mmCIF file of all heavy atoms in Angstrom:
data_model
loop_
_atom_site.group_PDB
_atom_site.id
_atom_site.type_symbol
_atom_site.label_atom_id
_atom_site.label_comp_id
_atom_site.label_asym_id
_atom_site.label_seq_id
_atom_site.Cartn_x
_atom_site.Cartn_y
_atom_site.Cartn_z
ATOM 1 N N PHE A 174 -0.414 -6.795 15.123
ATOM 2 C CA PHE A 174 0.519 -5.822 15.673
ATOM 3 C C PHE A 174 0.277 -5.675 17.178
ATOM 4 O O PHE A 174 -0.851 -5.811 17.661
ATOM 5 C CB PHE A 174 0.338 -4.463 14.993
ATOM 6 C CG PHE A 174 0.924 -4.371 13.617
ATOM 7 C CD1 PHE A 174 0.111 -4.477 12.486
ATOM 8 C CD2 PHE A 174 2.282 -4.170 13.438
ATOM 9 C CE1 PHE A 174 0.650 -4.376 11.210
ATOM 10 C CE2 PHE A 174 2.834 -4.069 12.162
ATOM 11 C CZ PHE A 174 2.008 -4.177 11.044
ATOM 12 N N ASP A 175 1.336 -5.389 17.918
ATOM 13 C CA ASP A 175 1.205 -5.188 19.356
ATOM 14 C C ASP A 175 0.321 -3.983 19.656
ATOM 15 O O ASP A 175 0.352 -2.977 18.941
ATOM 16 C CB ASP A 175 2.579 -4.949 19.998
ATOM 17 C CG ASP A 175 3.450 -6.194 19.998
ATOM 18 O OD1 ASP A 175 2.906 -7.305 19.851
ATOM 19 O OD2 ASP A 175 4.684 -6.050 20.144
ATOM 20 N N SER A 176 -0.448 -4.094 20.720
ATOM 21 C CA SER A 176 -1.272 -2.969 21.162
ATOM 22 C C SER A 176 -0.396 -1.747 21.399
ATOM 23 O O SER A 176 0.704 -1.848 21.954
ATOM 24 C CB SER A 176 -2.012 -3.341 22.443
ATOM 25 O OG SER A 176 -2.829 -2.276 22.869
ATOM 26 N N ALA A 177 -0.891 -0.598 20.953
ATOM 27 C CA ALA A 177 -0.242 0.712 21.072
ATOM 28 C C ALA A 177 0.804 0.960 19.998
ATOM 29 O O ALA A 177 1.339 2.072 19.904
ATOM 30 C CB ALA A 177 0.365 0.940 22.450
ATOM 31 N N ASP A 178 1.125 -0.024 19.142
ATOM 32 C CA ASP A 178 2.010 0.236 18.010
ATOM 33 C C ASP A 178 1.371 1.271 17.077
ATOM 34 O O ASP A 178 0.182 1.178 16.752
ATOM 35 C CB ASP A 178 2.258 -1.043 17.197
ATOM 36 C CG ASP A 178 3.341 -1.924 17.780
ATOM 37 O OD1 ASP A 178 3.946 -1.536 18.793
ATOM 38 O OD2 ASP A 178 3.571 -3.013 17.202
ATOM 39 N N VAL A 179 2.162 2.242 16.643
ATOM 40 C CA VAL A 179 1.728 3.175 15.604
ATOM 41 C C VAL A 179 2.095 2.557 14.258
ATOM 42 O O VAL A 179 3.259 2.204 14.021
ATOM 43 C CB VAL A 179 2.392 4.545 15.765
ATOM 44 C CG1 VAL A 179 1.973 5.481 14.635
ATOM 45 C CG2 VAL A 179 2.035 5.151 17.120
ATOM 46 N N ILE A 180 1.113 2.420 13.374
ATOM 47 C CA ILE A 180 1.263 1.634 12.153
ATOM 48 C C ILE A 180 1.065 2.546 10.947
ATOM 49 O O ILE A 180 0.121 3.340 10.896
ATOM 50 C CB ILE A 180 0.240 0.483 12.131
ATOM 51 C CG1 ILE A 180 0.378 -0.367 13.400
ATOM 52 C CG2 ILE A 180 0.434 -0.380 10.894
ATOM 53 C CD1 ILE A 180 -0.825 -1.244 13.650
ATOM 54 N N LEU A 181 1.947 2.390 9.951
ATOM 55 C CA LEU A 181 1.961 3.266 8.779
ATOM 56 C C LEU A 181 1.802 2.455 7.487
ATOM 57 O O LEU A 181 2.414 1.394 7.342
ATOM 58 C CB LEU A 181 3.282 4.030 8.707
ATOM 59 C CG LEU A 181 3.692 4.829 9.945
ATOM 60 C CD1 LEU A 181 5.113 5.360 9.759
ATOM 61 C CD2 LEU A 181 2.727 5.962 10.217
ATOM 62 N N PRO A 182 1.039 2.956 6.498
ATOM 63 C CA PRO A 182 0.883 2.267 5.207
ATOM 64 C C PRO A 182 2.039 2.591 4.260
ATOM 65 O O PRO A 182 2.403 3.760 4.098
ATOM 66 C CB PRO A 182 -0.435 2.814 4.670
ATOM 67 C CG PRO A 182 -0.555 4.173 5.289
ATOM 68 C CD PRO A 182 0.156 4.132 6.618
ATOM 69 N N ILE A 183 2.604 1.560 3.622
ATOM 70 C CA ILE A 183 3.779 1.758 2.766
ATOM 71 C C ILE A 183 3.689 0.938 1.483
ATOM 72 O O ILE A 183 2.930 -0.033 1.373
ATOM 73 C CB ILE A 183 5.092 1.368 3.489
ATOM 74 C CG1 ILE A 183 5.100 -0.136 3.823
ATOM 75 C CG2 ILE A 183 5.307 2.221 4.724
ATOM 76 C CD1 ILE A 183 6.472 -0.676 4.186
ATOM 77 N N ASN A 184 4.531 1.333 0.525
ATOM 78 C CA ASN A 184 4.847 0.535 -0.663
ATOM 79 C C ASN A 184 6.362 0.611 -0.843
ATOM 80 O O ASN A 184 6.902 1.667 -1.153
ATOM 81 C CB ASN A 184 4.116 1.090 -1.869
ATOM 82 C CG ASN A 184 4.358 0.320 -3.162
ATOM 83 O OD1 ASN A 184 4.005 0.772 -4.242
ATOM 84 N ND2 ASN A 184 4.958 -0.859 -3.093
ATOM 85 N N HIS A 185 7.040 -0.510 -0.628
ATOM 86 C CA HIS A 185 8.506 -0.568 -0.633
ATOM 87 C C HIS A 185 8.953 -1.319 -1.886
ATOM 88 O O HIS A 185 8.502 -2.440 -2.149
ATOM 89 C CB HIS A 185 8.979 -1.307 0.624
ATOM 90 C CG HIS A 185 10.461 -1.296 0.839
ATOM 91 N ND1 HIS A 185 11.076 -0.469 1.747
ATOM 92 C CD2 HIS A 185 11.449 -2.039 0.277
ATOM 93 C CE1 HIS A 185 12.384 -0.699 1.754
ATOM 94 N NE2 HIS A 185 12.629 -1.636 0.852
ATOM 95 N N TRP A 186 9.876 -0.700 -2.647
ATOM 96 C CA TRP A 186 10.299 -1.246 -3.943
ATOM 97 C C TRP A 186 11.819 -1.266 -4.024
ATOM 98 O O TRP A 186 12.489 -0.274 -3.747
ATOM 99 C CB TRP A 186 9.711 -0.379 -5.050
ATOM 100 C CG TRP A 186 10.304 -0.500 -6.420
ATOM 101 C CD1 TRP A 186 11.040 0.446 -7.081
ATOM 102 C CD2 TRP A 186 10.189 -1.596 -7.338
ATOM 103 N NE1 TRP A 186 11.388 -0.005 -8.332
ATOM 104 C CE2 TRP A 186 10.874 -1.253 -8.519
ATOM 105 C CE3 TRP A 186 9.565 -2.849 -7.263
ATOM 106 C CZ2 TRP A 186 10.961 -2.100 -9.610
ATOM 107 C CZ3 TRP A 186 9.653 -3.697 -8.353
ATOM 108 C CH2 TRP A 186 10.342 -3.324 -9.516
ATOM 109 N N LEU A 187 12.373 -2.434 -4.375
ATOM 110 C CA LEU A 187 13.822 -2.577 -4.524
ATOM 111 C C LEU A 187 14.104 -3.526 -5.681
ATOM 112 O O LEU A 187 13.450 -4.570 -5.821
ATOM 113 C CB LEU A 187 14.445 -3.125 -3.234
ATOM 114 C CG LEU A 187 15.966 -3.328 -3.228
ATOM 115 C CD1 LEU A 187 16.691 -1.991 -3.368
ATOM 116 C CD2 LEU A 187 16.404 -4.050 -1.957
ATOM 117 N N GLN A 188 15.101 -3.171 -6.513
ATOM 118 C CA GLN A 188 15.410 -3.958 -7.706
ATOM 119 C C GLN A 188 16.742 -4.702 -7.568
ATOM 120 O O GLN A 188 17.610 -4.305 -6.794
ATOM 121 C CB GLN A 188 15.480 -3.016 -8.915
ATOM 122 C CG GLN A 188 14.168 -2.318 -9.171
ATOM 123 C CD GLN A 188 14.325 -1.151 -10.110
ATOM 124 O OE1 GLN A 188 14.051 -1.262 -11.293
ATOM 125 N NE2 GLN A 188 14.769 -0.020 -9.599
ATOM 126 N N VAL A 189 16.871 -5.757 -8.353
ATOM 127 C CA VAL A 189 18.133 -6.487 -8.434
ATOM 128 C C VAL A 189 18.748 -6.223 -9.802
ATOM 129 O O VAL A 189 18.288 -5.370 -10.553
ATOM 130 C CB VAL A 189 17.921 -7.998 -8.195
ATOM 131 C CG1 VAL A 189 17.486 -8.235 -6.761
ATOM 132 C CG2 VAL A 189 16.905 -8.579 -9.163
ATOM 133 N N THR A 190 19.805 -6.975 -10.134
ATOM 134 C CA THR A 190 20.523 -6.773 -11.394
ATOM 135 C C THR A 190 19.561 -6.761 -12.582
ATOM 136 O O THR A 190 18.696 -7.633 -12.709
ATOM 137 C CB THR A 190 21.564 -7.883 -11.583
ATOM 138 O OG1 THR A 190 22.458 -7.849 -10.471
ATOM 139 C CG2 THR A 190 22.334 -7.679 -12.867
ATOM 140 N N GLY A 191 19.712 -5.762 -13.424
ATOM 141 C CA GLY A 191 18.895 -5.674 -14.624
ATOM 142 C C GLY A 191 17.837 -4.600 -14.558
ATOM 143 O O GLY A 191 17.511 -3.971 -15.546
ATOM 144 N N GLY A 192 17.279 -4.397 -13.373
ATOM 145 C CA GLY A 192 16.262 -3.376 -13.218
ATOM 146 C C GLY A 192 14.955 -3.758 -13.892
ATOM 147 O O GLY A 192 14.848 -4.736 -14.623
ATOM 148 N N SER A 193 13.920 -2.965 -13.632
ATOM 149 C CA SER A 193 12.608 -3.239 -14.199
ATOM 150 C C SER A 193 11.723 -2.019 -14.042
ATOM 151 O O SER A 193 11.930 -1.201 -13.139
ATOM 152 C CB SER A 193 11.950 -4.425 -13.497
ATOM 153 O OG SER A 193 10.639 -4.628 -13.987
ATOM 154 N N SER A 194 10.724 -1.897 -14.890
ATOM 155 C CA SER A 194 9.730 -0.849 -14.708
ATOM 156 C C SER A 194 8.785 -1.222 -13.567
ATOM 157 O O SER A 194 8.516 -2.389 -13.311
ATOM 158 C CB SER A 194 8.917 -0.652 -15.989
ATOM 159 O OG SER A 194 8.184 -1.825 -16.293
ATOM 160 N N PHE A 195 8.306 -0.194 -12.849
ATOM 161 C CA PHE A 195 7.314 -0.385 -11.792
ATOM 162 C C PHE A 195 6.327 0.769 -11.877
ATOM 163 O O PHE A 195 6.712 1.931 -11.774
ATOM 164 C CB PHE A 195 7.985 -0.431 -10.417
ATOM 165 C CG PHE A 195 7.021 -0.421 -9.260
ATOM 166 C CD1 PHE A 195 5.802 -1.081 -9.319
ATOM 167 C CD2 PHE A 195 7.329 0.266 -8.091
ATOM 168 C CE1 PHE A 195 4.918 -1.066 -8.255
ATOM 169 C CE2 PHE A 195 6.455 0.281 -7.007
ATOM 170 C CZ PHE A 195 5.243 -0.379 -7.097
ATOM 171 N N GLU A 196 5.046 0.433 -12.087
ATOM 172 C CA GLU A 196 4.026 1.450 -12.306
ATOM 173 C C GLU A 196 2.793 1.172 -11.458
ATOM 174 O O GLU A 196 2.426 0.011 -11.243
ATOM 175 C CB GLU A 196 3.631 1.475 -13.797
ATOM 176 C CG GLU A 196 4.811 1.738 -14.727
ATOM 177 C CD GLU A 196 4.505 1.481 -16.193
ATOM 178 O OE1 GLU A 196 3.395 1.010 -16.507
ATOM 179 O OE2 GLU A 196 5.392 1.753 -17.026
ATOM 180 N N TRP A 197 2.168 2.255 -10.975
ATOM 181 C CA TRP A 197 0.860 2.161 -10.322
ATOM 182 C C TRP A 197 -0.219 2.336 -11.374
ATOM 183 O O TRP A 197 -0.269 3.356 -12.051
ATOM 184 C CB TRP A 197 0.660 3.267 -9.299
ATOM 185 C CG TRP A 197 1.424 3.155 -8.029
ATOM 186 C CD1 TRP A 197 2.120 2.074 -7.567
ATOM 187 C CD2 TRP A 197 1.577 4.181 -7.037
ATOM 188 N NE1 TRP A 197 2.698 2.365 -6.351
ATOM 189 C CE2 TRP A 197 2.379 3.646 -6.002
ATOM 190 C CE3 TRP A 197 1.116 5.499 -6.931
ATOM 191 C CZ2 TRP A 197 2.725 4.396 -4.871
ATOM 192 C CZ3 TRP A 197 1.453 6.242 -5.820
ATOM 193 C CH2 TRP A 197 2.249 5.690 -4.797
ATOM 194 N N GLU A 198 -1.084 1.355 -11.497
ATOM 195 C CA GLU A 198 -2.306 1.559 -12.256
ATOM 196 C C GLU A 198 -3.354 2.231 -11.372
ATOM 197 O O GLU A 198 -4.163 3.035 -11.831
ATOM 198 C CB GLU A 198 -2.828 0.222 -12.786
ATOM 199 C CG GLU A 198 -3.935 0.360 -13.804
ATOM 200 C CD GLU A 198 -4.149 -0.921 -14.573
ATOM 201 O OE1 GLU A 198 -3.189 -1.408 -15.207
ATOM 202 O OE2 GLU A 198 -5.281 -1.449 -14.527
ATOM 203 N N ARG A 199 -3.285 1.881 -10.089
ATOM 204 C CA ARG A 199 -4.155 2.499 -9.089
ATOM 205 C C ARG A 199 -3.504 2.296 -7.735
ATOM 206 O O ARG A 199 -2.886 1.258 -7.479
ATOM 207 C CB ARG A 199 -5.541 1.853 -9.094
ATOM 208 C CG ARG A 199 -6.567 2.511 -8.168
ATOM 209 C CD ARG A 199 -7.921 1.804 -8.242
ATOM 210 N NE ARG A 199 -7.869 0.435 -7.732
ATOM 211 C CZ ARG A 199 -7.841 -0.670 -8.473
ATOM 212 N NH1 ARG A 199 -7.853 -0.565 -9.793
ATOM 213 N NH2 ARG A 199 -7.789 -1.860 -7.927
ATOM 214 N N ALA A 200 -3.629 3.266 -6.850
ATOM 215 C CA ALA A 200 -3.131 3.118 -5.485
ATOM 216 C C ALA A 200 -4.098 3.813 -4.545
ATOM 217 O O ALA A 200 -4.707 4.834 -4.899
ATOM 218 C CB ALA A 200 -1.728 3.704 -5.338
ATOM 219 N N GLU A 201 -4.233 3.254 -3.347
ATOM 220 C CA GLU A 201 -5.228 3.761 -2.401
ATOM 221 C C GLU A 201 -4.754 3.496 -0.982
ATOM 222 O O GLU A 201 -4.160 2.465 -0.689
ATOM 223 C CB GLU A 201 -6.564 3.043 -2.651
ATOM 224 C CG GLU A 201 -7.713 3.474 -1.775
ATOM 225 C CD GLU A 201 -9.008 2.737 -2.117
ATOM 226 O OE1 GLU A 201 -8.937 1.641 -2.711
ATOM 227 O OE2 GLU A 201 -10.077 3.256 -1.783
ATOM 228 N N ALA A 202 -5.020 4.435 -0.080
ATOM 229 C CA ALA A 202 -4.708 4.242 1.331
ATOM 230 C C ALA A 202 -5.645 5.107 2.151
ATOM 231 O O ALA A 202 -5.976 6.223 1.752
ATOM 232 C CB ALA A 202 -3.255 4.584 1.639
ATOM 233 N N GLY A 203 -6.065 4.579 3.285
ATOM 234 C CA GLY A 203 -6.943 5.362 4.143
ATOM 235 C C GLY A 203 -7.788 4.482 5.025
ATOM 236 O O GLY A 203 -7.441 3.325 5.307
ATOM 237 N N ALA A 204 -8.923 5.020 5.447
ATOM 238 C CA ALA A 204 -9.789 4.310 6.380
ATOM 239 C C ALA A 204 -10.318 3.022 5.771
ATOM 240 O O ALA A 204 -10.655 2.950 4.592
ATOM 241 C CB ALA A 204 -10.939 5.208 6.803
ATOM 242 N N LEU A 205 -10.438 2.004 6.600
ATOM 243 C CA LEU A 205 -10.859 0.682 6.153
ATOM 244 C C LEU A 205 -12.294 0.649 5.644
ATOM 245 O O LEU A 205 -12.671 -0.243 4.903
ATOM 246 C CB LEU A 205 -10.683 -0.300 7.315
ATOM 247 C CG LEU A 205 -10.853 -1.784 7.052
ATOM 248 C CD1 LEU A 205 -9.951 -2.243 5.924
ATOM 249 C CD2 LEU A 205 -10.558 -2.576 8.316
ATOM 250 N N TRP A 206 -13.075 1.658 6.005
ATOM 251 C CA TRP A 206 -14.470 1.620 5.567
ATOM 252 C C TRP A 206 -14.603 1.689 4.051
ATOM 253 O O TRP A 206 -15.633 1.333 3.495
ATOM 254 C CB TRP A 206 -15.290 2.723 6.235
ATOM 255 C CG TRP A 206 -15.114 4.103 5.730
ATOM 256 C CD1 TRP A 206 -14.149 4.985 6.080
ATOM 257 C CD2 TRP A 206 -15.952 4.772 4.780
ATOM 258 N NE1 TRP A 206 -14.316 6.166 5.413
ATOM 259 C CE2 TRP A 206 -15.421 6.071 4.612
ATOM 260 C CE3 TRP A 206 -17.093 4.419 4.067
ATOM 261 C CZ2 TRP A 206 -15.986 6.999 3.750
ATOM 262 C CZ3 TRP A 206 -17.654 5.347 3.203
ATOM 263 C CH2 TRP A 206 -17.108 6.620 3.046
ATOM 264 N N HIS A 207 -13.545 2.090 3.346
ATOM 265 C CA HIS A 207 -13.605 2.085 1.884
ATOM 266 C C HIS A 207 -13.699 0.678 1.315
ATOM 267 O O HIS A 207 -14.069 0.501 0.153
ATOM 268 C CB HIS A 207 -12.378 2.796 1.308
ATOM 269 C CG HIS A 207 -12.437 4.269 1.486
ATOM 270 N ND1 HIS A 207 -13.208 5.086 0.715
ATOM 271 C CD2 HIS A 207 -11.831 5.081 2.388
ATOM 272 C CE1 HIS A 207 -13.080 6.330 1.120
ATOM 273 N NE2 HIS A 207 -12.248 6.354 2.134
ATOM 274 N N ALA A 208 -13.337 -0.323 2.088
ATOM 275 C CA ALA A 208 -13.381 -1.694 1.593
ATOM 276 C C ALA A 208 -14.801 -2.232 1.521
ATOM 277 O O ALA A 208 -15.053 -3.244 0.893
ATOM 278 C CB ALA A 208 -12.537 -2.600 2.488
ATOM 279 N N ARG A 209 -15.757 -1.577 2.172
ATOM 280 C CA ARG A 209 -17.123 -2.095 2.167
ATOM 281 C C ARG A 209 -17.845 -1.722 0.880
ATOM 282 O O ARG A 209 -17.440 -0.817 0.160
ATOM 283 C CB ARG A 209 -17.897 -1.565 3.376
ATOM 284 C CG ARG A 209 -18.254 -0.083 3.325
ATOM 285 C CD ARG A 209 -18.868 0.308 4.663
ATOM 286 N NE ARG A 209 -19.125 1.739 4.738
ATOM 287 C CZ ARG A 209 -20.330 2.284 4.505
ATOM 288 N NH1 ARG A 209 -21.340 1.533 4.157
ATOM 289 N NH2 ARG A 209 -20.483 3.588 4.633
ATOM 290 N N LYS A 210 -18.949 -2.412 0.599
ATOM 291 C CA LYS A 210 -19.801 -2.053 -0.522
ATOM 292 C C LYS A 210 -20.733 -0.946 -0.063
ATOM 293 O O LYS A 210 -21.546 -1.130 0.843
ATOM 294 C CB LYS A 210 -20.593 -3.270 -1.008
ATOM 295 C CG LYS A 210 -19.712 -4.410 -1.481
ATOM 296 C CD LYS A 210 -18.834 -3.993 -2.651
ATOM 297 C CE LYS A 210 -17.994 -5.156 -3.141
ATOM 298 N NZ LYS A 210 -17.069 -4.759 -4.197
ATOM 299 N N ASP A 211 -20.616 0.213 -0.653
ATOM 300 C CA ASP A 211 -21.344 1.403 -0.220
ATOM 301 C C ASP A 211 -22.081 1.962 -1.432
ATOM 302 O O ASP A 211 -21.513 2.034 -2.520
ATOM 303 C CB ASP A 211 -20.341 2.433 0.331
ATOM 304 C CG ASP A 211 -20.993 3.680 0.865
ATOM 305 O OD1 ASP A 211 -21.554 4.437 0.038
ATOM 306 O OD2 ASP A 211 -20.933 3.902 2.089
#
């Protein structure tokens, strides 16, 4: 991303003909330090 861009976390969902179920088994957003082994 370009320097100074403000960046936002998203989940974007769109269906086509027929439709479908969409479920979160787990969802997470936040500081990157959660990705480490702690």
Side-chain angles (χ1 to χ4, degrees):
F174 284 101
D175 290 341
S176 181
D178 277 358
V179 177
I180 305 163
L181 306 172
I183 64 164
N184 181 192
H185 187 102
W186 163 249
L187 180 65
Q188 298 165 99
V189 293
T190 301
S193 176
S194 63
F195 171 36
E196 302 168 355
W197 287 348
E198 191 164 302
R199 185 180 66 257
E201 181 178 22
L205 189 54
W206 76 276
H207 287 283
R209 71 187 175 98
K210 300 299 182 184
D211 183 292

